Amino acid sequence: MDKFQAFGKNISASFTPFAARTQQYVKEQLGQAEDKTQLPPDYIELEKRVDALKKVHNTMLQVTSQYSNEAYDYPTNIRESFNDLGRTVSEKVNLLSSATSPAEAQAALTAPPSAKPQPKTFSHAVARASLNSSHILSGEHAGAGEDPLATALEKFAIASEKVGEARLAQDAQIQSRFLAGWSTTLNTNIMFATRARKAVENSRLSLDATKANAKSGNVFQLPGQPAARKDGLEEEMTEEARAKVEQAEDEFVGQTEEAVSVMKNVLDTPEPLRNLADLIAAQLEYHKKAYEILSELAPVVDQLQVEQEVRRHQSSDF
């Protein structure tokens, strides 16, 4: 029996910390662990708050990451050609205004070979559709003066392109000031907290494994062999075992304090709120610009409508 005990001690001494933690974890899962060190209630509350913050970041980033996709509002039911995307609306308008023949007008709508495709946003698509519609009406209205609808569509095309550019500026601001910030918080700060919590769990398992080994006297038992008898001295924890338990307790306390500090830092940082304020500011600036652009366009189109109504009434008097 003495040989078995010596053999068992050698085996136990050769256990790596990972193996000891794994053994303790398995015991706990199977309900075979006698005692389990409990984490402080304040610590558990911090864990819940960090988990909630992580869930919030994942939820928000899942949606707002669309700001990195230029075509997130681009209609899926339209098909635009290379020529459609070859020039900006403003360039086409300038070329069309200086065209002196149908051939030059058509050339204005043809993309140069080295053209960079124009953005695929909803506002840009509306701008291109409006300009093409204006060109169609102008072509059928040649020699009969300006068609008010064609004129309005051209002006609407220019305004829509400006709104589209404002949207792209908004997206760029959100990408750099919100998405980057929240991604950093999720993948760096919250990840550090996760690692710190894992270190706490590992140190707790090590502590409980050390306690269990100390109570059992580190006697290794072969399967099916009766437990070795312990006299009164063996039932008491040895100084060596007590020192190991105290060392494991100190490690557990140290890891817990470190994790508490890391989690509080994650929860108290003002960065997520600052990033959200930047997102709102970018949206506000975009909608403000869109409002200004359309506010300038609306009275112009209204005036074209009034003038058309006047001409209509005048022509009906004859």
Side-chain angles (χ1 to χ4, degrees), residues 89 123 127 154-164 293-294 297:
V89 166
S123 292
E154 180 180 292
K155 294 183 180 298
F156 181 48
I158 296 172
S160 295
E161 184 175 64
K162 290 179 180 179
V163 171
I293 293 167
L294 296 176
L297 172 66

Side-chain angles (χ1 to χ4, degrees), residues 21-307:
R21 292 196 303 268
T22 303
Q23 185 183 50
Q24 180 65 24
Y25 176 79
V26 172
K27 285 182 179 180
E28 291 177 0
Q29 296 302 306
L30 297 176
Q32 298 175 355
E34 295 181 2
D35 298 310
K36 179 178 179 181
T37 301
Q38 299 300 314
L39 292 164
D42 290 346
Y43 179 90
I44 296 175
E45 182 64 24
L46 286 174
E47 281 192 315
K48 291 179 180 178
R49 291 178 60 193
V50 170
D51 287 340
L53 185 63
K54 181 179 180 179
K55 184 176 182 180
V56 166
H57 275 67
N58 282 321
T59 299
M60 286 294 294
L61 287 173
Q62 186 177 19
V63 177
T64 56
S65 61
Q66 288 298 308
Y67 284 112
S68 298
N69 172 25
E70 177 188 284
Y72 64 75
D73 64 351
Y74 184 73
T76 58
N77 62 320
I78 64 173
R79 297 291 182 269
E80 292 186 296
S81 67
F82 177 74
N83 284 333
D84 293 327
L85 302 171
R87 298 182 192 272
T88 68
V89 166
S90 298
E91 288 174 338
K92 291 178 181 178
V93 169
N94 291 332
L95 291 172
L96 286 171
S97 64
S98 61
T100 58
S101 66
E104 290 183 0
Q106 185 59 42
L109 299 176
T110 303
S114 59
K116 178 184 177 181
Q118 295 304 300
K120 284 189 172 184
T121 74
F122 180 70
S123 292
H124 284 87
V126 169
R128 290 188 287 266
S130 297
L131 184 61
N132 289 338
S133 299
S134 174
H135 178 63
I136 293 172
L137 291 176
S138 296
E140 297 299 326
H141 208 263
E146 289 188 359
D147 184 318
L149 180 56
T151 302
L153 284 168
E154 180 180 292
K155 294 183 180 298
F156 181 48
I158 296 172
S160 295
E161 184 175 64
K162 290 179 180 179
V163 171
E165 292 301 315
R167 203 222 76 180
L168 292 177
Q170 168 205 245
D171 295 353
Q173 291 294 317
I174 291 175
Q175 289 174 42
S176 63
R177 297 185 179 181
F178 176 79
L179 293 180
W182 274 49
S183 295
T184 297
T185 298
L186 177 64
N187 299 321
T188 302
N189 298 14
I190 294 178
M191 183 182 68
F192 286 160
T194 301
R195 289 178 179 175
R197 291 166 59 182
K198 182 63 176 177
V200 170
E201 178 62 10
N202 287 339
S203 65
R204 184 199 64 76
L205 288 169
S206 294
L207 171 59
D208 290 344
T210 302
K211 287 180 178 179
N213 289 335
K215 289 180 180 180
S216 66
N218 286 321
V219 178
F220 177 79
Q221 302 293 330
L222 287 176
Q225 294 292 328
R229 186 184 64 81
K230 301 177 182 179
D231 55 30
L233 291 178
E234 288 178 332
E235 290 180 356
E236 295 293 333
M237 188 182 299
T238 65
E239 288 297 325
E240 180 183 1
R242 184 177 293 105
K244 288 183 178 180
V245 170
E246 291 177 353
Q247 181 181 2
E249 287 177 341
D250 291 341
E251 176 68 14
F252 173 66
V253 171
Q255 293 291 357
T256 302
E257 291 176 346
E258 174 66 18
V260 167
S261 176
V262 172
M263 287 192 288
K264 284 185 176 180
N265 181 65
V266 170
L267 295 169
D268 294 342
T269 180
E271 283 302 310
L273 190 55
R274 184 181 297 121
N275 299 147
L276 181 61
D278 289 336
L279 182 149
I280 295 171
Q283 288 184 328
L284 176 61
E285 181 65 18
Y286 161 60
H287 289 293
K288 180 181 177 182
K289 285 185 177 180
Y291 173 80
E292 292 173 349
I293 293 167
L294 296 176
S295 294
E296 183 179 345
L297 172 66
V300 175
V301 175
D302 286 343
Q303 183 61 31
L304 287 171
Q305 180 188 7
V306 170
E307 292 175 358

